[in-house]
Amino acid sequence: MAAVVVALLCVFPSFVSPRGSAPPAADATPRLPDVVIIGVKKGGTRALIEMLSLHSDVVAAQNEVHFFDWDSHFQRGADWYVSQMPRARPGQLTVEKTPAYFTSSRVPERILQTLPDVRLMLIVREPTERLLSDYTQLFHNRLEKRKHQESLESLLMRDGELNLDYKALNRSLYHVHLQRWLAIFPRTRLHLVDGDALVREPLAEMKKAEQFLQLQPQINASHFYFNQTKGFYCLRERRRQRCLHRSKGRKHPRVSPEVLRKLHEYFREPNLKFFQLAGRTFDWK
Ligand SMILES: *[C@@H]1O[C@H](CO)[C@@H](O)[C@H](O)[C@H]1NC(C)=O
Ligand SMILES: *[C@@H]1O[C@H](CO)[C@@H](O)[C@H](O)[C@H]1NC(C)=O
Ligand SMILES: *[C@@H]1O[C@H](CO)[C@@H](O)[C@H](O)[C@H]1NC(C)=O
């Protein structure tokens, strides 16, 4: 049977060059985050935090902090968490992103206790594409470590049925995880970003994000330019340009159309449940 190349499904960009840092003002100091991007893994969290950083009233932690999901970090306490944050001037918002938070069971309660006024952001993509991207990343991690690579089919299928224990599949069951968050936080505290739309039309998604964060509208069309060769947008900031790259030039595993069909079919019902919880729909075919 003909195999479908997953190339197009794995293009979610990440940024190549690190952000240059302006010298901090004297009144700038690290603070607890005002905003936490909680996920989802392979949803476009790096692109989102880089784009938020275009705004002069936003400062972002460089690394994924894993404060709330790793006990070894959480036990170090809030002072350690603050020490992981960039300097922020009064009036600036501090943002961190750790995509593993979304699917980690103890995290919502811990965030509420530590950051009672936090605003949360969640960026999601079409769940089959996210799963394939998740698998591709793990596949290449194993490749680099010269470990045996299992085919997606062998991980995903058990006796002709989908294997519901496969973690990458579970991570795409957004409603299961969102339910836990909405048991702790009111829906108005959480902003959903459409990761597929962010790639196609970043400005529109970023304007919604500015609104949610009550930032002065500042991000505009001149911050983005389309790179024809790459096929997606790059960022322009104070004459510096930063580009996305395509899965680090990774070769993409092949997936049979039969498996793709099963996945699309499987996610139909969970997607509807997610739309209902979210109070909005996404254009997922
Ligand atoms: C997915 O994971 C969550 C929590 O990690 C668990 O409660 C749930 O039962 C899992 N769902 C399936 C279908 O395996
Ligand atoms: C876009 O934003 C930049 C930086 O805030 C500003 O310098 C520029 O004038 C704006 N451009 C337009 C077209 O509004
Ligand atoms: C566009 O992308 C190509 C291919 O990755 C790259 O070589 C080039 O520098 C990019 N151009 C701009 C203006 O970003």
Side-chain angles (χ1 to χ4, degrees):
M1 186 180 280
V4 172
V5 180
V6 191
L8 281 176
L9 305 172
C10 305
V11 299
F12 207 94
S14 48
F15 286 83
V16 203
S17 60
R19 187 176 161 72
S21 48
D27 56 351
T29 165
R31 292 198 303 259
L32 283 171
D34 305 283
V35 183
V36 178
I37 300 172
I38 59 173
V40 57
K41 187 184 175 202
K42 304 312 288 178
T45 55
R46 174 55 57 189
L48 177 59
I49 202 167
E50 293 286 338
M51 287 181 192
L52 285 173
S53 303
L54 291 169
H55 200 290
S56 62
D57 293 339
V58 172
V59 291
Q62 279 307 299
N63 301 317
E64 295 180 2
V65 183
H66 287 282
F67 179 62
F68 297 105
D69 61 325
W70 291 0
D71 287 345
S72 61
H73 283 174
F74 191 67
Q75 281 156 10
R76 295 184 190 180
D79 289 345
W80 179 84
Y81 191 33
V82 169
S83 77
Q84 303 304 300
M85 294 300 137
R87 290 164 169 274
R89 292 191 307 273
Q92 282 186 314
L93 295 179
T94 299
V95 186
E96 79 119 324
K97 72 113 173 164
T98 303
Y101 288 164
F102 181 53
T103 53
S104 178
S105 59
R106 272 168 310 177
V107 169
E109 186 67 50
R110 284 178 170 182
I111 291 189
L112 183 68
Q113 280 167 13
T114 311
L115 310 170
D117 300 319
V118 75
R119 277 169 285 182
L120 305 170
M121 299 182 85
L122 171 67
I123 179 166
V124 291
R125 295 166 72 189
E126 194 283 314
T128 297
E129 291 196 22
R130 197 220 62 80
L131 184 160
L132 295 173
S133 196
D134 199 338
Y135 167 76
T136 302
Q137 182 177 29
L138 296 174
F139 180 92
H140 284 276
N141 288 348
R142 294 182 69 84
L143 199 65
E144 277 161 25
K145 290 178 189 154
R146 296 170 188 268
K147 287 191 187 162
H148 172 70
Q149 295 109 46
E150 289 185 75
S151 72
L152 179 63
E153 276 86 346
S154 69
L155 293 164
L156 200 55
M157 305 303 292
R158 288 273 155 86
D159 308 320
E161 293 303 316
L162 285 176
N163 168 20
L164 301 185
D165 291 330
Y166 181 43
K167 287 263 168 55
L169 180 113
N170 189 301
R171 279 195 281 270
S172 280
L173 292 176
Y174 304 143
H175 75 285
V176 170
H177 307 288
L178 184 61
Q179 218 157 26
R180 289 183 299 101
W181 286 87
L182 294 183
I184 306 283
F185 288 97
R187 175 66 184 86
T188 48
R189 283 284 200 86
L190 171 78
H191 180 65
L192 281 166
V193 178
D194 182 334
D196 302 302
L198 191 74
V199 173
R200 285 194 310 269
E201 246 192 290
L203 183 56
E205 280 303 310
M206 293 318 291
K207 283 198 176 302
K208 290 177 204 163
E210 277 180 334
Q211 234 167 20
F212 170 73
L213 298 174
Q214 295 172 296
L215 290 165
Q216 295 286 340
Q218 202 184 81
I219 302 175
N220 63 41
S222 60
H223 285 115
F224 304 99
Y225 67 95
F226 194 76
N227 184 319
Q228 290 290 351
T229 319
K230 288 177 182 294
F232 43 65
Y233 282 93
C234 301
L235 306 191
R236 187 189 289 122
E237 184 185 27
R238 288 181 225 104
R239 282 177 293 158
R240 218 159 56 82
Q241 296 179 351
R242 283 177 294 149
C243 266
L244 319 161
H245 65 105
R246 212 176 263 256
S247 301
K248 301 179 181 147
R250 285 165 177 159
K251 271 195 298 178
H252 301 289
R254 288 158 185 276
V255 183
S256 79
E258 174 64 12
V259 169
L260 287 181
R261 193 189 55 74
K262 274 207 158 69
L263 282 170
H264 284 127
E265 198 176 284
Y266 172 72
F267 282 121
R268 201 176 302 152
E269 199 61 32
N271 286 350
L272 291 176
K273 288 183 182 157
F274 174 64
F275 295 166
Q276 194 148 28
L277 271 181
R280 59 166 288 184
T281 61
F282 289 82
D283 190 16
W284 297 338
K285 297 285 151 43

